[in-house]
Amino acid sequence: MALADEPTLDPVGAAAWDDFRSLAHRMVDDMLDHLSTLDEQPAWRPLPDTVRRALGSEPLPIGGVGAEAAYDDFKTHVLRYTTGNVHPRFWGWVQGNGTVLGMMAAMLAAGMNSIVAGFDQSSALVEHRVLAWLAELMGFPPDASGLFVSGTSTGSTLALAVARHGALAKAGFDPREHGLQAGSTGQRPPHLVCYGSAETHGWARKAVELLGLGNTAFVRVPVDSRDRMNLVALDRRVREDKAKGVVPFAIIATVGTVNTGAIDDVPAIANVAGENDLWLHVDGAFGALARLSDRLRPLVAGLERADSLAFDLHKWGYLPFECGCLLVRDAARHRETFANTGDYMAPATRGVIAGGLPFAERGLELTRDFKALKVWLSLKSDGVGSWARLIEQNVNQARYLADLVQAHPALELLREVTLNIVCFRYAPTHVDAQQLNPINVEIVLRLQERGIAVPSGTLVDGHYAIRCAIVNHRSRYADFEALVDAVVRIGDELRFGEGA
Ligand SMILES: Cc1ncc(COP(=O)(O)O)c(C=O)c1O
């Protein structure tokens, strides 16, 4: 036991451990109270000035106030003032809810505090196992490589790095040694380009910039009337680029675009990739999880042909942030892109480092937390079937919301619903078309500010849309009825004045 003059951050002595235990139990109880009463709470609380002031001007704490007082401050100023994404009527952007078991798994992982770079430890075995389960679910081969990452942006960026690495190596350059600079021969590497639809998520731009290829290396292929990549345009552009001496290296297909949930024709895109020897990356941030349902699987057919696939368990797997997953078909190429050595982490066949650092060799991070635990515990507890049923429920809810919209004379559905995203607007006849965008912007803001619900907004064909992305295991059908009533009420209020 530590002596009083030997500092530690653990409680010192049995009484101090007991005190901490009761605080810890209170923390769990408070969190469960909060989560079990969400439907009685507003969907969002605008940040009060008191909170802004308290959090915005806190001086650096040189002397601590103790865990109890710090926790009280958390309860007063932090706990309730988030985007509201845990709430049953939150459908903004694509933010998942989290689960109570996932929350406890995150606590257990933090308690274990295991660095999952690899090593000969249980957490590495769990990550290997869970990645194998996910590869099986996604139709990837058992020897595929994988990695838990913060999210699909990171996973997809790593995937493009693997694709770029292979393309440069194939062209006779050593990408690890010279990057995009001229090597010892003095020859410059090829001008690489990749393709994705104009609806591809913004990570792609950041990725090509970060990989040194530049924004113009990401060719935005036009979409059809259902927001899917136009394959004729893709094929034409690839041929034109090749004729110009530009070197295509990858195609990004999206299953479930962020704006409208559109699903690219992955089998056809895989054919184009195959014919041109291009890497196929699938962004399946939320849409890939539809594969878990027998009924929905045909909608996302073809993603199992991808060279790499990124998706988020923190979206349609409902788990707490962060929990993204990257799968790469060619394990050797994945490792070649990132593997590193150092005297301080030389491999060994015995001891803690036996087994090496396989996860550090698949991405940028050496220190990695134990994200796989929340997936492992949740899948063991609930089974794949329960996720599949919830995903189907969300798709049914999206169709229900679309039906409610279509049945209401004052509402207009702006896109056919493919999966779980519904884009609609308040658009009664006789309202000047110019006014519809500002009216719908205001409807979204009032829904949020009054704590009724949190949809977000987007533009569909230039029309401002109220957008609901449903990855919420807490939503009930009645929540969508309440949303539609509120949209019409607020829209009428804006046209005719309060009390309309
Ligand atoms: C289609 C798509 N791709 C990528 C992302 C980015 O995912 P993350 O925020 O996990 O990096 C999102 C986020 O909503 C998305 O919808």
Side-chain angles (χ1 to χ4, degrees):
M1 181 167 304
L3 300 174
D5 59 351
E6 287 181 307
T8 166
L9 291 171
D10 279 339
V12 176
W17 276 103
D18 280 348
D19 286 350
F20 190 79
R21 188 185 306 274
S22 53
L23 173 63
H25 286 181
R26 190 146 59 78
M27 288 171 165
V28 172
D29 284 341
D30 290 346
M31 208 62 206
L32 294 180
D33 284 347
H34 175 60
L35 294 174
S36 60
T37 55
L38 287 168
D39 54 357
E40 298 158 22
Q41 301 180 36
W44 182 62
R45 294 173 178 85
L47 275 169
D49 286 345
T50 48
V51 170
R52 279 186 206 283
R53 270 199 304 277
L55 297 181
S57 59
E58 269 191 316
L60 173 68
I62 304 293
V65 292
E68 294 261 358
Y71 175 61
D72 283 347
D73 226 11
F74 162 80
K75 278 199 351 187
T76 312
H77 293 130
V78 182
L79 172 62
R80 288 185 170 71
Y81 303 105
T82 65
T83 62
N85 60 301
V86 288
H87 195 275
R89 287 193 302 281
F90 184 98
W91 308 296
W93 306 277
V94 197
Q95 299 183 5
N97 283 140
T99 61
V100 286
L101 182 60
M103 171 184 93
M104 296 315 295
M107 186 212 71
L108 299 174
M112 288 175 70
N113 204 27
S114 175
I115 286 197
V116 198
F119 299 104
D120 204 21
Q121 55 177 339
S122 56
S123 49
L125 292 184
V126 169
E127 179 151 348
H128 279 302
R129 197 65 227 132
V130 174
L131 288 169
W133 289 345
L134 294 175
E136 183 180 334
L137 282 171
M138 292 299 159
F140 268 55
D143 59 352
S145 172
L147 189 70
F148 279 103
V149 289
S150 58
T152 291
S153 302
T154 302
S156 295
T157 302
L158 296 179
L160 270 204
V162 181
R164 182 194 68 163
H165 176 90
L168 289 174
K170 199 159 52 182
F173 292 84
D174 182 345
R176 296 288 303 265
E177 206 51 31
H178 303 296
L180 297 174
Q181 324 278 8
S184 45
T185 61
Q187 256 193 315
R188 289 201 65 80
H191 178 168
L192 298 177
V193 291
C194 59
Y195 308 82
S197 90
E199 291 289 310
T200 308
H201 189 275
W203 67 260
R205 175 176 184 156
K206 286 193 196 173
V208 286
E209 288 177 7
L210 190 68
L211 293 173
L213 303 173
N215 179 35
T216 52
F218 175 50
V219 178
R220 280 94 172 154
V221 179
V223 292
D224 65 15
S225 60
R226 290 170 62 195
D227 293 333
R228 296 172 308 183
M229 196 191 307
N230 179 326
L231 295 172
V232 176
L234 169 70
D235 197 53
R236 188 186 322 121
R237 184 62 194 258
V238 171
R239 276 189 283 113
E240 283 169 6
D241 283 340
K242 282 177 154 178
K244 278 195 296 196
V246 171
V247 177
F249 77 103
I251 308 180
I252 301 160
T254 304
V255 296
T257 58
V258 64
N259 252 350
T260 61
I263 300 172
D264 281 337
D265 183 346
V266 185
I269 295 174
N271 290 344
V272 177
E275 283 154 20
N276 293 281
D277 196 17
L278 306 183
W279 183 274
L280 173 61
H281 174 67
V282 172
D283 172 348
F286 57 94
L289 276 296
R291 222 188 116 85
L292 271 51
S293 146
D294 291 341
R295 177 160 73 77
L296 300 173
R297 190 170 308 125
L299 287 177
V300 296
L303 63 76
E304 68 286 350
R305 292 174 60 186
D307 293 295
S308 54
L309 167 69
F311 56 98
D312 288 327
L313 282 318
H314 61 222
K315 291 189 169 74
W316 236 357
Y318 307 105
L319 295 180
F321 306 122
E322 302 164 347
C323 203
C325 181
L326 168 66
L327 296 176
V328 179
R329 179 177 303 277
D330 183 340
R333 191 145 149 194
H334 190 185
R335 189 177 177 281
E336 265 163 33
T337 310
F338 298 108
N340 218 345
T341 52
D343 294 344
Y344 53 94
M345 47 189 187
T349 52
R350 290 173 47 211
V352 174
I353 206 167
L357 305 175
F359 299 115
E361 293 175 345
R362 297 177 189 180
L364 298 179
E365 292 165 331
L366 175 60
T367 298
R368 302 176 61 250
D369 67 355
F370 190 12
K371 293 181 176 61
L373 182 63
K374 51 195 165 195
V375 191
W376 186 78
L377 267 183
S378 304
L379 278 176
K380 280 167 75 77
S381 156
D382 304 331
V384 175
S386 68
W387 281 6
R389 275 193 301 280
L390 283 164
I391 289 165
E392 286 173 5
Q393 174 168 281
N394 285 159
V395 170
N396 293 342
Q397 287 168 334
R399 300 216 169 119
Y400 182 66
L401 173 58
D403 288 347
L404 292 176
V405 166
Q406 285 183 303
H408 201 293
L411 301 178
E412 181 188 1
L413 189 66
L414 289 171
R415 261 295 176 282
E416 188 186 324
V417 173
T418 323
L419 211 53
N420 59 335
I421 297 188
V422 185
C423 291
F424 70 103
R425 64 175 177 168
Y426 173 82
T429 42
H430 310 309
V431 176
D432 189 302
Q434 305 277 332
Q435 305 224 304
L436 288 177
N437 279 5
I439 286 179
N440 281 282
V441 168
E442 187 59 28
I443 289 173
V444 168
L445 293 175
R446 290 193 188 188
L447 285 167
Q448 296 177 356
E449 286 166 355
R450 293 178 188 177
I452 298 169
V454 183
S456 52
T458 191
L459 287 179
V460 174
D461 301 331
H463 303 314
Y464 185 86
I466 303 170
R467 172 179 164 284
C468 290
I470 309 168
V471 288
N472 190 323
H473 65 92
R474 298 192 172 115
S475 301
R476 297 285 163 260
Y477 285 90
D479 292 314
F480 299 97
E481 293 163 9
L483 171 73
V484 165
D485 287 350
V487 166
V488 173
R489 195 171 60 246
I490 295 171
D492 288 351
E493 178 182 301
L494 287 165
R495 282 173 67 208
F496 307 118
E498 308 272 333

